[in-house]
């Protein structure tokens, strides 16, 4: 089987993405039933995290353990990259020793070079441009609560950054309509936005949320924006998701956030506990989707 990478949702066909999410739904049920599924005994993955992580790290490490495999955590102080070893050399060394690599970095180009020089699959565990693993979990959570997302209206409020870009790619791959409400100073990448016929910017956050089936936001200051927090709090204030804003959406609306959340900033103090919020189910799906993704990249369809 030729090696495949997952740096973007666009690296897979729509059909492949749907397979992975359906497999993750099955894994969630198997996990709840206490069923053991160990298709990856003897396999090893390298988890290179140059930025902090809770969900992504725990999902990969727990997922590898549950599938009979082993994950090696490599934090920013644990590799020789910081001492000047080229990423191309790291790619070739890891390819000699492990079966798959996951990387979180702000350096999109370095991630792409890692994938290019590795003979093993490479997964984007979040970059400054994209967060495709999170979208697998979000789509799974929507479908588990409301059925197919195709043709539905999704609203993203806040920073036109990596989560917003991955929602644009997801709109293409799953066929939903995406409204993006963001400040002029923090618009999504124009090429990514232009690539999706069903994604549009809506200036007024209230108009953007009207009738939506899913409302999503992310922190106003992501990793890499350190020192900009005060300015951003001023700029993004009108884009806070709160109960009153959500009341404008479809009566069956769901609210999602990739977490961690800053209560009182991009979400009201109480929104995560609102019955329309599924953020913890969404977070739990990181485990099942990442297991399904790794299984697909290493073994193909089962
Ligand atoms: N949503 C997400 O990627 O969480 P972590 O940063 O904790 O991995």
């Amino acid at each position: 089987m030729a090696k495949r990478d997952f740096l973007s949702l666009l690296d897979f066909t729509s059909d492949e993405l749907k397979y992975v999410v359906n497999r993750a739904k099955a894994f969630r049920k198997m996990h709840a039933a206490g069923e053991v599924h160990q298709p990856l005994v003897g396999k090893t993955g390298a988890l290179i995290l140059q930025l902090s992580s809770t969900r992504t790290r725990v999902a990969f490490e727990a997922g590898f353990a549950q599938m009979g495999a082993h994950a090696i955590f490599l934090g920013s102080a644990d590799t020789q990259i910081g001492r000047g070893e080229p990423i191309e050399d790291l790619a070739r060394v890891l390819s000699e020793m492990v079966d798959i690599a996951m990387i979180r970095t702000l350096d999109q180009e370095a991630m792409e070079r890692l994938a290019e020089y590795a003979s093993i699959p490479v997964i984007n565990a979040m970059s400054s441009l994209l967060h495709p693993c999170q979208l697998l979990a979000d789509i799974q959570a929507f479908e588990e609560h409301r059925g197919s997302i195709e043709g539905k209206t999704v609203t993203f409020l806040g920073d036109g950054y990596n989560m917003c870009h991955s929602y644009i790619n997801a709109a293409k791959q799953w066929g939903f309509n995406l409204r993006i409400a963001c400040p002029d100073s923090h618009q999504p990448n124009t090429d990514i936005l232009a690539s999706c016929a069903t994604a549009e910017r809506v200036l007024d956050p209230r108009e953007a949320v009207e009738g939506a089936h899913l409302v999503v936001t992310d922190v106003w200051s992501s990793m890499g924006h350190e020192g900009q927090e005060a300015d951003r709090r001023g700029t993004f204030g009108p884009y806070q998701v709160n109960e009153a804003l959500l009341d404008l959406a479809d009566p069956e609306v769901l609210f999602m956030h990739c977490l961690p959340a800053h209560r009182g900033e991009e979400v009201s103090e109480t929104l995560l506990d609102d019955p329309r919020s599924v953020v913890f189910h969404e977070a739990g799906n990181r485990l099942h989707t990442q297991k399904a993704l790794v299984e697909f990249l290493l073994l193909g369809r089962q």
Side-chain angles (χ1 to χ4, degrees):
M1 194 169 82
K3 85 114 173 181
R4 301 274 302 277
D5 301 311
F6 185 71
L7 304 189
S8 160
L9 293 171
L10 304 183
D11 287 339
F12 281 17
T13 66
S14 174
D15 188 55
E16 287 169 338
L17 291 170
K18 287 173 185 168
Y19 166 80
V20 170
V21 169
N22 284 336
R23 186 77 172 150
K25 291 175 194 167
F27 281 176
R28 187 172 181 116
K29 288 182 183 151
M30 289 158 66
H31 186 70
E35 201 175 314
V36 175
H37 175 66
Q38 298 201 317
L40 300 183
V41 172
K43 303 283 189 196
T44 310
L47 180 53
I48 308 159
L49 297 179
Q50 297 183 336
L51 302 160
S52 304
S53 169
T54 301
R55 280 142 289 269
T56 307
R57 177 179 176 180
V58 173
F60 275 125
E61 291 201 20
F64 270 72
Q66 290 167 17
M67 292 192 292
H70 180 70
I72 301 168
F73 168 70
L74 295 167
S76 51
D78 298 325
T79 71
Q80 300 280 18
I81 298 174
R83 295 181 61 245
E85 182 168 33
I87 197 98
E88 293 84 350
D89 291 358
L90 175 70
R92 287 178 282 198
V93 170
L94 290 179
S95 300
E96 293 281 334
M97 298 189 190
V98 302
D99 302 284
I100 191 165
M102 292 69 66
I103 179 166
R104 169 171 286 196
T105 177
L106 292 177
D107 189 342
Q108 179 73 25
E109 196 199 333
M111 175 182 292
E112 289 168 10
R113 289 207 312 280
L114 181 76
E116 182 186 344
Y117 282 84
S119 58
I120 54 174
V122 174
I123 294 174
N124 179 349
M126 198 196 82
S127 67
S128 50
L129 194 67
L130 298 168
H131 198 356
C133 287
Q134 182 66 50
L135 263 291
L136 297 176
D138 289 19
I139 301 296
Q140 180 187 351
F142 184 89
E143 294 191 346
E144 285 169 332
H145 287 87
R146 296 287 183 264
S148 171
I149 198 167
E150 188 175 350
K152 295 284 194 291
T153 297
V154 177
T155 300
F156 182 93
L157 291 111
D159 195 3
Y161 195 55
N162 51 11
M163 277 298 296
C164 181
H165 294 155
S166 283
Y167 261 93
I168 296 170
N169 287 343
K172 267 162 81 166
Q173 294 286 48
W174 274 276
F176 58 80
N177 303 306
L178 180 64
R179 298 178 192 152
I180 300 161
C182 59
D184 283 340
S185 51
H186 296 86
Q187 294 181 46
N189 176 296
T190 48
D191 291 337
I192 295 175
L193 181 59
S195 73
C196 178
T198 61
E200 58 169 347
R201 271 193 75 203
V202 177
L203 297 181
D204 179 0
R206 292 169 61 86
E207 192 185 321
V209 166
E210 212 169 283
H213 303 102
L214 171 62
V215 173
V216 188
T217 192
D218 190 7
V219 291
W220 292 339
S221 296
S222 296
M223 286 180 278
H225 298 150
E226 290 79 10
Q228 302 175 24
E229 291 87 348
D231 278 355
R232 283 172 169 263
R233 272 194 290 275
T235 305
F236 284 102
Y239 299 86
Q240 185 194 70
V241 185
N242 51 46
E243 287 82 344
L245 190 73
L246 218 50
D247 287 345
L248 302 172
D250 184 88
E252 294 288 301
V253 69
L254 295 177
F255 171 71
M256 293 191 202
H257 187 310
C258 61
L259 303 180
H262 293 178
R263 290 169 172 84
E265 294 191 10
E266 77 276 4
V267 286
S268 61
E269 293 287 348
T270 47
L271 190 69
L272 300 191
D273 302 313
D274 187 281
R276 295 167 290 187
S277 165
V278 292
V279 296
F280 298 109
H281 183 111
E282 174 192 6
N285 281 350
R286 297 296 305 278
L287 171 67
H288 310 296
T289 46
Q290 287 171 207
K291 285 168 70 177
L293 175 62
V294 169
E295 184 194 64
F296 179 73
L297 286 170
L298 291 179
L299 302 179
R301 294 185 193 236
Q302 299 302 295

